[in-house]
Amino acid sequence: NKFSWYGLTRVFNDWHPTNVSVFCNLAIAILLHYGIQGEKWFFRRYSYLIAALVFLSFCVFALYSLTEIIVWGCLLLFFTYRWMQHRHMPRPVILGSGVAAIVLLTGLLYANPMAMDKIKKLRTTGWHATDRQDERNVLTMRMAKWETHLDIFQKHFLFGTTVGDIRDVR
């Protein structure tokens, strides 16, 4: 359990795995930014950068936050694009690499090599907005919340609702 979401977030009582993953992704973004810029003062050797990136990436995946795994992939795409621009690579090479990376990341999520329960449940329950316990998954719960709050916004556009009556309106 030490390397799963429970063990990695146990240091603080109220830390959700997604919160810890956000900070790991932020650290990855900072490291990649300085790595692309070639800032030698930030780390002495690129081996330190690679070791830190591998460790932080492992933490993002071990925390099992699907949202942050997707953010991790987007960070890699963005900073790979910036690195290729910095190296003055031709536009077709950049575009082809981006499409290949998106296909690869999508394939990894679809194949689900880590056997994440959230992805399995997403496949079995489908994509309809619901908050029923037996039918919901990580996506449909959020879809139901967005749908509910958009309806509230449309019905109470001008004056809104108060803290006292929002529960009844929902």
Side-chain angles (χ1 to χ4, degrees):
N1 254 355
K2 292 206 185 301
F3 293 115
S4 68
W5 65 269
Y6 178 73
L8 291 172
T9 60
R10 195 176 160 132
V11 175
F12 302 102
N13 290 336
D14 298 333
W15 277 41
H16 191 276
T18 301
N19 295 346
V20 179
S21 249
V22 166
F23 287 113
C24 290
N25 275 331
L26 180 62
I28 288 171
I30 291 168
L31 287 172
L32 288 173
H33 171 74
Y34 284 119
I36 289 171
Q37 298 299 325
E39 301 286 342
K40 295 284 187 188
W41 61 269
F42 193 70
F43 35 79
R44 286 184 229 163
R45 297 191 179 110
Y46 282 107
S47 59
Y48 295 155
L49 169 70
I50 292 168
L53 289 175
V54 168
F55 173 73
L56 290 167
S57 296
F58 170 77
C59 289
V60 168
F61 280 88
L63 287 164
Y64 294 115
S65 174
L66 184 59
T67 305
E68 290 306 312
I69 290 173
I70 292 170
V71 168
W72 175 85
C74 292
L75 281 173
L76 290 183
L77 283 173
F78 174 73
F79 282 105
T80 301
Y81 171 74
R82 287 207 31 220
W83 178 80
M84 292 175 113
Q85 268 189 329
H86 192 72
R87 299 275 187 250
H88 303 293
M89 293 191 175
R91 181 77 64 196
V93 171
I94 293 173
L95 185 62
S97 300
V99 169
I102 289 171
V103 168
L104 179 68
L105 292 172
T106 305
L108 278 173
L109 283 176
Y110 183 78
N112 196 13
M114 294 177 48
M116 292 179 70
D117 292 331
K118 292 177 181 180
I119 294 175
K120 286 180 189 176
K121 195 166 184 180
L122 183 62
R123 286 186 185 168
T124 59
T125 56
W127 294 71
H128 60 281
T130 183
D131 200 19
R132 292 191 191 128
Q133 185 68 28
D134 57 335
E135 297 177 6
R136 71 183 185 187
N137 60 43
V138 67
L139 178 66
T140 59
M141 288 186 327
R142 287 169 176 83
M143 288 170 57
K145 289 178 183 180
W146 274 99
E147 189 175 277
T148 301
H149 287 91
L150 283 173
D151 288 343
I152 291 170
F153 180 74
Q154 288 173 349
K155 291 177 185 172
H156 303 280
F157 177 72
L158 192 55
F159 296 108
T161 60
T162 64
V163 177
D165 65 353
I166 188 66
R167 178 173 269 152
D168 296 333
V169 172
R170 260 187 275 162

